[in-house]
Amino acid sequence: MICLISPGLLSHECSFPNKSPRFNQFKRRNPHFVIIRSSSQNSENPFPPIKSAKRVVLVRHGQSTWNEEGRIQGSSNFSVLTKKGESQAETSRQMLANDTFDVCFNSPLNRSKKTAEIIWDARKEAMIPEFDLREIDLYSFQGLLKNEGTEKYGEEYRQWQNDAPNFEIDGHYPVRELWVRARNCWAKILSHEGESVLVVAHNAINQALVATAMGLGTEYFRVLLQSNCGVSVLDFTPVDDSESPHICLNRLNQTPKSPIPPTSSAGRKSSKQLILVCHGNVEATSPNSPDGPMDMLGVIQSQKTAELLLDLKVTSVVCSSRIASIDSATTISKVQEGAVCLGADTVPRLVEMKQLNELEVDSIFQQSRTDPIESSFLHSGWLNNFEDQVATDIWNRSGKAWKSLLDELSDESEGEKNLVVVGHPAVHIALIGQCLNLTKEWKGSFHLDAGSISVIDFPDGPSGKGVIRCLNYTAHLGRWSIPVTRSSVDNKEV
């Protein structure tokens, strides 16, 4: 293990028997996205004003028979849930059992309707079938085995795989049609008086719902992953009686099983992965001295995260200079190196631990006139509370960090590389924005909790488009995780 200690942290001990610390310091913009310069509100198709805050929970259906067979389903209605799919839906039911919902909208297709019935269980309120929530219409492709696509349709199928937003079949542009349909769905969902809404639908339509809510175009198709029974959460907060609500993605693709083991991203294998770990909860500190250690809850959160990451062979752990980040990174590294003793591996794991100065944001927050940060990031959109200069400084710093991390991932001497990055939620939100080629105006459009993890895959390598596998995943925290229909500030008992 390589431990980096900055001069400003000499009072913080980080010692490892028989190992000498070595200092490690560790450029690029993603060409596949169009840089968006507006806010997260969609100026061309604004959402109607709302009178009270709403939380919308999206769930994709469980595994279906056509998922299992590798067939293209589209909006066909011939497949049903497998036994595994029913089990996934049951796991989701248990995960959401203590959450309160006012209404459930569901796709009328069999696989989604059955998933919704299992999750909705004994709740008395009626489910509302919504035809616009059906899966993407793929016309002649529907029913094809995926390996038949190239043989029968050649260039059309290759375009579906590589340039889906411009893909045309039978005189239709399926992804463009899907985005229009998703906006229509939001008008119906937001007009309902319920404040806590469950939506059970499909992979592509859920991607479109997330993207259109945030004002992202069709180029983001297959970038915001939706696994079978994955849960995504969007918060809508009223601004005033005449403006569109503020919209924040609270979490993305919280799955019934761990999101860590390497699988496919949008149908493609990925050998390069960034795991963004928010350090554990920090002890109460003064505004003039915010760099404190983790409290007892934070220590538990970091240990739970380290245990989850045992499913993955971590190559390097990169952290900020913050005490809580170093402690969380150290816990992850030690558990990785104990994988053999813990029965998680048959060979020793050697983990390199590095410090990246650009991940440090405390000095930026100290310049702010806003309240101390540890109490601020408990609600959706908390970064909007800070002055524009703070957002600019964090965004600029995260841009430098992003380039360094991509350079680290680009090392061709290592085929598979899993890089864990430990830091404050603010810098991780900015890194997610850098991945998506957004601008600082998106600073309040994502939410991360202490102890959460977010995963970014690079199926085309670090120079290609990053795929968000999950965002703000907290299921590994067990009893200390936050129910999906309840905001962090309401979760006083945690």
Side-chain angles (χ1 to χ4, degrees):
M1 181 187 301
I2 298 172
C3 179
L4 171 69
I5 305 297
S6 71
L9 290 174
L10 291 178
S11 62
H12 176 64
E13 295 184 1
C14 183
S15 59
F16 304 97
N18 304 319
K19 296 183 180 180
S20 300
R22 182 170 85 239
F23 285 75
N24 285 287
Q25 296 294 340
F26 291 26
K27 311 168 188 109
R28 133 185 16 233
R29 197 63 162 158
N30 194 325
H32 296 277
F33 287 119
V34 175
I35 296 178
I36 300 176
R37 300 191 181 280
S38 63
S39 70
S40 63
Q41 312 308 320
N42 189 319
S43 57
E44 295 182 359
N45 296 279
F47 286 93
I50 57 176
K51 295 181 179 179
S52 59
K54 291 180 181 286
R55 174 162 283 194
V56 179
V57 178
L58 307 177
V59 182
R60 181 189 174 189
H61 64 77
Q63 185 197 62
S64 70
T65 49
W66 280 21
N67 286 153
E68 188 177 40
E69 294 170 14
R71 291 188 184 277
I72 298 174
Q73 296 183 106
S75 57
S76 65
N77 199 23
F78 297 105
S79 66
V80 296
L81 292 188
T82 62
K83 291 297 183 184
K84 179 180 179 179
E86 292 180 357
S87 176
Q88 289 170 330
E90 172 60 22
T91 300
S92 294
R93 184 197 68 78
Q94 295 174 17
M95 184 170 69
L96 300 172
N98 295 324
D99 289 294
T100 302
F101 295 102
D102 299 314
V103 64
C104 173
F105 289 88
N106 67 279
S107 160
L109 300 184
N110 290 327
R111 55 195 185 273
S112 181
K113 182 174 180 288
K114 180 63 175 179
T115 301
E117 289 171 347
I118 292 172
I119 295 174
W120 202 238
D121 195 31
R123 291 181 173 91
K124 296 180 181 179
E125 297 79 5
M127 298 190 303
I128 301 177
E130 173 50 59
F131 188 59
D132 275 345
L133 285 173
R134 70 188 183 278
E135 184 56 298
I136 186 172
D137 298 313
L138 288 176
Y139 307 100
S140 295
F141 275 13
Q142 294 180 175
L144 284 177
L145 288 169
K146 293 177 181 178
N147 59 14
E148 294 175 343
T150 302
E151 297 175 11
K152 291 189 175 183
Y153 287 90
E155 185 56 36
E156 283 179 304
Y157 189 74
R158 280 187 287 273
Q159 188 179 34
W160 164 240
Q161 290 181 307
N162 302 318
D163 187 20
N166 297 311
F167 161 65
E168 181 183 8
I169 185 171
D170 299 337
H172 295 270
Y173 290 89
V175 177
R176 298 178 192 178
E177 292 177 348
L178 184 70
W179 250 242
V180 173
R181 183 146 50 85
R183 293 190 186 103
N184 292 338
C185 287
W186 279 125
K188 299 170 186 176
I189 293 169
L190 294 179
S191 64
H192 192 278
E193 61 184 11
E195 296 182 356
S196 181
V197 181
L198 177 66
V199 176
V200 183
H202 307 264
N203 176 17
I205 184 62
N206 282 8
Q207 289 185 52
L209 287 169
V210 173
T212 54
M214 302 184 70
L216 303 177
T218 54
E219 67 272 22
Y220 287 86
F221 182 59
R222 296 198 182 116
V223 173
L224 304 167
L225 211 63
Q226 300 287 308
S227 303
N228 287 123
C229 277
V231 174
S232 300
V233 180
L234 288 148
D235 286 327
F236 296 79
T237 306
V239 177
D240 61 33
D241 292 338
S242 60
E243 292 188 35
S244 296
H246 175 264
I247 302 166
C248 180
L249 182 60
N250 182 279
R251 71 187 73 195
L252 178 80
N253 202 31
Q254 181 150 304
T255 52
K257 65 175 185 178
S258 168
I260 291 300
T263 55
S264 62
S265 283
R268 295 170 295 159
K269 295 292 183 181
S270 177
S271 62
K272 306 287 186 179
Q273 193 175 65
L274 275 182
I275 300 97
L276 306 181
V277 175
C278 291
H279 61 63
N281 211 56
V282 176
E283 288 182 359
T285 55
S286 69
N288 296 325
S289 180
D291 189 16
M294 290 183 290
D295 59 18
M296 181 59 71
L297 175 58
V299 172
I300 293 172
Q301 289 169 332
S302 65
Q303 185 65 40
K304 291 283 187 182
T305 298
E307 292 172 6
L308 179 73
L309 292 174
L310 264 178
D311 291 337
L312 194 70
K313 185 177 180 180
V314 173
T315 312
S316 302
V317 181
V318 182
C319 65
S320 74
S321 59
R322 205 173 200 226
I323 293 174
S325 293
I326 292 175
D327 287 348
S328 294
T330 301
T331 299
I332 292 168
S333 298
K334 286 184 174 179
V335 171
Q336 281 286 315
E337 294 189 341
V340 173
C341 297
L342 296 171
D345 209 338
T346 57
V347 295
R349 297 180 184 178
L350 299 177
V351 181
E352 190 175 40
M353 186 169 157
K354 303 180 181 182
Q355 181 177 300
L356 181 60
N357 290 335
E358 285 78 11
L359 293 174
E360 189 275 318
V361 293
D362 282 337
S363 60
I364 297 175
F365 280 119
Q366 285 179 351
Q367 302 169 16
S368 173
R369 297 184 298 275
T370 310
D371 291 338
I373 57 176
E374 301 311 335
S375 61
S376 311
F377 65 74
L378 297 177
H379 60 275
S380 287
W382 62 274
L383 270 172
N384 285 332
N385 293 342
F386 293 91
E387 304 93 304
D388 185 67
Q389 188 58 50
V390 170
T392 299
D393 291 345
I394 291 175
W395 215 262
N396 291 342
R397 184 166 292 187
S398 71
K400 296 176 182 178
W402 181 249
K403 292 176 182 178
S404 297
L405 294 169
L406 291 186
D407 284 343
E408 179 76 3
L409 274 181
S410 298
D411 186 351
E412 296 300 331
S413 65
E414 298 174 281
E416 181 177 318
K417 186 151 190 174
N418 301 306
L419 181 61
V420 173
V421 184
V422 185
H424 189 280
V427 74
H428 285 341
I429 287 172
L431 288 173
I432 290 165
Q434 296 289 340
C435 173
L436 298 176
N437 265 27
L438 303 177
T439 58
K440 67 178 182 180
E441 286 75 21
W442 259 263
K443 62 185 181 296
S445 297
F446 303 94
H447 177 81
L448 297 177
D449 290 304
S452 70
I453 67 166
S454 302
V455 181
I456 303 174
D457 288 341
F458 295 89
D460 295 319
S463 62
K465 185 183 293 187
V467 174
I468 310 296
R469 172 175 293 281
C470 68
L471 185 150
N472 200 28
Y473 183 89
T474 60
H476 64 291
L477 301 179
R479 63 179 295 180
W480 293 278
S481 63
I482 298 166
V484 299
T485 54
R486 201 182 317 170
S487 67
S488 307
V489 285
D490 294 331
N491 202 37
K492 300 293 186 182
E493 70 273 15
V494 173

